Amino acid sequence: MNHLVLSLVVQLSLAFGVAGLLWPEKLVAVFDVLMFPWPATHRLVRVNAWGALFIAALLFLALLAKLHA
């Protein structure tokens, strides 16, 4: 069951990262709500998308390490 939760987190992180890179203009509205005092920009959304992809890669490696251990 633990592998299922980690797999779901990896998939959500990948989906958010790819969406942020392909359609930053659609995610700016979400970031306006999440980061209320600061204005959201396309650059901020793209940086966050790269971070989400990096975290997805790290979690995927952790999942592989758990499966092979």
Side-chain angles (χ1 to χ4, degrees):
M1 188 67 177
N2 193 17
H3 297 293
L4 182 65
V5 173
L6 188 56
S7 297
L8 180 64
V9 170
V10 169
Q11 289 295 317
L12 288 174
S13 183
L14 273 174
F16 185 71
V18 170
L21 288 177
L22 294 178
W23 305 290
E25 64 276 354
K26 293 183 181 181
L27 289 178
V28 168
V30 174
F31 275 84
D32 276 337
V33 173
L34 291 177
M35 300 182 60
F36 168 64
W38 301 282
T41 62
H42 291 278
R43 183 173 185 247
L44 178 72
V45 172
R46 287 191 186 272
V47 168
N48 197 358
W50 280 112
L53 289 174
F54 180 70
I55 288 173
L58 287 178
L59 289 174
F60 180 70
L61 290 175
L63 181 62
L64 281 179
K66 278 187 177 182
L67 290 176
H68 290 291

